[in-house]
Amino acid sequence: MSANILTVLTKFYDEYQKNTPQRLKIIDAYLGYIMLTGIVQFVYCALVGTFPFNSFLSGFISCVGSFVLAVCLRVQVNPSNKSQFYNLSPERAFSDFIFARDRKSVV
């Protein structure tokens, strides 16, 4: 059973490295960082307590919002979705992401 899982994971990793453009890999690394930050905040809150609950809530919701915006960027920049976003350049998608992320941080 574990040999099959290892084989599947190895094949997935090899296909990911071979077929995924560098831009998407960078966005995926950013998504992993945001997810790790949210997990660390949640574990800290579970272990230490929720005394400044508003601080935990604002930090965790900020991670979720940043993750959603980054996923939207990844969908728009992905070359396989070019037919759905035919009039949207990757530069425009990135500038929309930066604008939305900054607006999220201000509000």
Side-chain angles (χ1 to χ4, degrees), residues 42-85:
F42 185 79
V43 168
Y44 178 82
C45 183
L47 293 177
V48 175
T50 61
F51 168 62
F53 188 68
N54 57 347
S55 298
F56 161 72
L57 206 56
S58 66
F60 190 74
I61 290 173
S62 178
C63 286
V64 171
S66 295
F67 189 85
V68 168
L69 289 173
V71 167
C72 291
L73 174 65
R74 190 186 194 286
V75 167
Q76 291 175 355
V77 173
N78 193 347
S80 63
N81 295 336
K82 197 68 171 169
S83 63
Q84 295 173 344
F85 302 102

